[in-house]
Amino acid sequence: MTTSAGMRSLAITFPGGLKTNDYWRRHYPQMLGGPMEKRNVWAAPEEPREAPDAFDAEMEKYLDDPFRGAAERRVLLPHENAMTIETRAATMALEAAKIPRAEVDLVIACSLFHDRMGIGHATFLAGELGLTSAAWNLETACSGAFAVFETACALVRAGQYRNVLGVVSCTYSRSVEEHDTMSWFSGDGAGAFVVSEVPAGEGLVASAMLHSAETCKAFLLDVVDDPKRDKQVVRLRSDRSASKVLRQVSEPYLRKTADMALQKAGLRMSDIDWLVVNTPTAWYASFCARVLDFDRARTIDTFPRYANCGPALMPVNLYTAAVELPIRRGDLVLLHTVGSASSSGSAIVRWGDVALGPSPGLPLEVL
């Protein structure tokens, strides 16, 4: 009999800084309106269509707002870094799972971006947490959490490992310049989960991933000197083609991967109870529900609270859905993530007895 694998626990956390839209109104008023608006990564289509597709139709609702539906972003304070929030999320996930640390067999980490250039955090996390397990790094940008989860489930099913700790984080605030409109849509956050054997039929039922090569030129990375910190840092910026490319590929990626996962599971969309997707924009959840002809009330959208926090979005939205919708044991959940220059994936999960970490609420310093 094939072993079933899924989440045993799930936890999320955020750094201590909070930026609202007023931050840019106070510090960068020149960014609002005029030429800067045309450089917005989510600028209006240059050639509006008579019958806009699902993505443009949902995006159109936000074009009068320069912040495109973003309201708040959690950001790192000077004393914080990716390891700070990753360690906190991992600790909460382990405590919720109630397993001794000696029983963790593997750590898989995905950080966007690393605190140390070129070196992932998995081994550093294992040491910080007092683990004696193997430790790997896995990277596929904003689909990182999905890939970590899928990999962990496969390894547990194969009997290679019993308990796998997955840890993901996003620290856009350290990699996007404040005077770039991309900063309006970017936040920081972290999530962690323990994957173990679960009762038959629960956990990961089926999944499908495809590469997103069409998006490889949408966002670019530069290595620049940072005189404030006396070192080189990575800077993320968007290409002029980014908005057009992402509008064109989002629907095909969603349809293809969702259809593949449903077919593998022997299910139809009407069998799904909840839809939980990455929300890199304020309209992405509505867009996905529209494409899949799914009840919008049975989705979750954390974008107004946290903006786009990259690979942390999957655990953040799944945790929030479990608390607020709420997802119950036995419910079928369709997960979907998409990442530029990485992968797009969909998975069917039958929710089990997933222990949730404490509420991520922390005292915040409004910047």
Side-chain angles (χ1 to χ4, degrees):
M1 181 180 294
T2 303
T3 299
S4 293
M7 287 185 185
R8 183 168 176 171
S9 67
L10 172 64
I12 62 172
T13 194
F14 298 93
L18 174 66
K19 285 183 180 177
T20 68
N21 296 345
D22 284 342
Y23 180 89
W24 282 272
R25 292 190 180 102
R26 292 196 314 269
H27 296 281
Y28 300 96
Q30 73 278 8
M31 291 176 65
L32 300 173
M36 285 298 294
E37 177 63 17
K38 295 181 180 179
R39 294 207 294 271
N40 192 319
V41 66
W42 294 117
E46 294 179 2
E47 300 177 1
R49 285 173 274 185
E50 291 184 9
D53 60 18
F55 194 96
D56 285 350
E58 294 297 332
M59 175 178 166
E60 187 176 11
K61 303 170 186 177
Y62 294 88
L63 292 179
D64 290 336
D65 174 12
F67 297 100
R68 301 296 191 266
E72 296 183 347
R73 315 115 189 104
R74 308 298 173 85
V75 299
L76 295 171
L77 293 174
H79 66 278
E80 296 177 311
N81 57 22
M83 276 287 292
T84 304
I85 54 177
E86 287 176 1
T87 303
R88 186 162 62 232
T91 300
M92 291 191 298
L94 289 172
E95 290 177 351
K98 296 181 180 179
I99 58 172
R101 299 196 179 193
E103 293 185 12
V104 175
D105 304 310
L106 172 65
V107 178
I108 307 179
C110 175
S111 311
L112 190 68
F113 296 90
H114 308 143
D115 292 332
R116 299 165 179 80
M117 193 173 296
I119 303 175
H121 291 166
T123 301
F124 297 94
L125 279 167
E128 185 72 21
L129 295 167
L131 305 177
T132 58
S133 64
W136 304 345
N137 295 289
L138 187 155
E139 186 279 319
T140 183
C142 293
S143 284
F146 186 105
V148 170
F149 176 61
E150 186 179 49
T151 302
C153 286
L155 290 167
V156 170
R157 281 175 168 174
Q160 185 70 21
Y161 298 101
R162 297 166 304 158
N163 300 302
V164 180
L165 172 64
V167 187
V168 297
S169 75
C170 181
T171 52
Y172 279 147
S173 69
R174 292 276 169 89
S175 57
V176 179
E177 297 283 7
E178 287 187 343
H179 54 75
D180 185 330
T181 57
M182 274 184 60
S183 64
W184 292 346
F185 320 121
S186 305
D188 304 334
F193 43 84
V194 174
V195 171
S196 307
E197 182 178 351
V198 295
E202 292 187 353
L204 180 61
V205 177
S207 61
M209 291 191 82
L210 297 171
H211 71 73
S212 56
E214 295 95 331
T215 66
C216 281
K217 295 181 180 179
F219 296 97
L220 306 171
L221 296 172
D222 302 314
V223 177
V224 301
D225 292 323
D226 184 349
K228 292 182 180 179
R229 290 187 281 172
D230 192 28
K231 66 177 184 179
Q232 290 187 314
V233 295
V234 172
R235 287 284 181 258
L236 176 66
R237 58 186 173 89
S238 62
D239 184 78
R240 290 175 61 87
S241 66
S243 180
K244 180 179 180 180
V245 170
L246 296 174
R247 295 201 311 271
Q248 289 175 340
V249 302
S250 291
E251 183 168 342
Y253 287 166
L254 171 62
R255 285 191 183 277
K256 288 178 183 178
T257 59
D259 286 347
M260 290 167 66
L262 287 165
Q263 185 175 6
K264 286 182 181 180
L267 297 169
R268 295 173 297 180
M269 204 56 213
S270 58
D271 297 315
I272 301 301
D273 297 299
W274 307 101
L275 175 64
V276 177
V277 304
N278 272 19
T279 47
T281 70
W283 56 90
Y284 203 80
S286 295
F287 153 73
C288 290
R290 181 172 182 155
V291 169
L292 298 175
D293 193 23
F294 194 79
D295 182 0
R296 176 65 182 84
R298 301 186 74 79
T299 66
I300 196 77
D301 178 16
T302 63
F303 186 82
R305 290 180 250 184
Y306 307 124
N308 178 8
C309 47
L313 280 173
M314 190 190 96
V316 165
N317 285 353
L318 193 54
Y319 179 99
T320 306
V323 172
E324 297 182 7
L325 289 178
I327 301 174
R328 300 298 189 194
R329 188 170 189 174
D331 288 349
L332 282 170
V333 183
L334 174 62
L335 301 176
H336 176 69
T337 71
V338 63
S340 297
S342 60
S343 302
S344 176
S346 294
I348 313 296
V349 171
R350 188 173 293 279
W351 198 248
D353 186 17
V354 182
L356 300 178
S359 168
L362 292 170
L364 295 172
E365 180 180 335
V366 180
L367 302 176

